[in-house]
Amino acid sequence: MNFLRSITRPALAAPFVVDGIDALARPRRHVEKFEKVQPALERAGLPPVLHSDAELLTRISGAVSVLAGLGLATGRAPRTCAAVLATLNIPLTLVNNPVWAVKGQEARKQALSGLMRSAAVGAGLALSAVDRQGRPSLAWQRENRRQVKAAIAQAQAQVRAQYEPAASA
């Protein structure tokens, strides 16, 4: 892992680990945030099963957040962990920054700022999810191997044609 990755991965993961621990230890505060935006989420089509036991959902989300955050920070399955965190970041961003539900210009400005900040973190996680650390993808490796084999076969055929005795007529 290069120097930049060794700094950025733990930095991207830290808020998720801290927030996940808080959700596990003190889920009530997180549930209250969810309950504030629940009516808007229901109007948007949120399945009722998700809010039937918000405290359990909060604890599960916290545990997933901690585990994926630690995985990303330590470099264990970093692409998978980044993808999990990027996916988890979407509902967390909507619950923590309900721009549509706040009243007052200053509160709306703060919620919008939080929304943009969370979107930036999500974009960083998406980039981490596709980062191959300079290694090509498996599809590219397979296609390259096929092209190299074809080029070798063609070169061998040319060498054979050049050095084989000409067929006498």
Side-chain angles (χ1 to χ4, degrees), residues 99-159:
V99 176
W100 63 91
V102 294
K103 304 276 190 256
Q105 189 168 359
E106 189 59 36
R108 184 176 298 273
K109 194 184 294 185
Q110 286 181 343
L112 186 59
S113 176
L115 184 71
M116 294 298 110
R117 200 172 296 115
S118 292
V121 169
L125 289 166
L127 281 173
S128 290
V130 298
D131 178 28
R132 293 191 181 95
Q133 300 181 11
R135 287 179 255 150
S137 70
L138 293 177
W140 183 91
Q141 290 176 15
R142 186 177 53 246
E143 178 62 22
N144 185 54
R145 200 172 306 119
R146 187 191 65 74
Q147 290 175 357
V148 167
K149 283 182 181 180
I152 289 172
Q154 183 181 7
Q156 286 174 338
Q158 286 176 347
V159 168

Side-chain angles (χ1 to χ4, degrees), residues 22-42:
D22 188 54
L24 284 168
R26 293 175 291 285
R28 189 72 222 146
R29 186 174 63 89
H30 298 268
V31 170
E32 288 170 2
K33 283 183 180 181
F34 175 73
E35 288 172 349
K36 286 180 185 177
V37 298
Q38 181 179 350
L41 295 174
E42 282 179 354

Side-chain angles (χ1 to χ4, degrees), residues 30-100:
H30 298 268
V31 170
E32 288 170 2
K33 283 183 180 181
F34 175 73
E35 288 172 349
K36 286 180 185 177
V37 298
Q38 181 179 350
L41 295 174
E42 282 179 354
R43 285 191 302 272
L46 179 74
V49 71
L50 290 181
H51 60 78
S52 62
D53 191 358
E55 188 170 323
L56 177 64
L57 182 64
T58 298
R59 288 181 189 264
I60 291 170
S61 172
V64 169
S65 184
V66 168
L67 291 174
L70 290 174
L72 179 62
T74 60
R76 304 234 172 172
R79 293 177 61 203
T80 302
C81 291
V84 167
L85 290 175
T87 304
L88 188 62
N89 186 51
I90 295 167
L92 291 177
T93 296
L94 295 175
V95 169
N96 291 328
N97 305 294
V99 176
W100 63 91

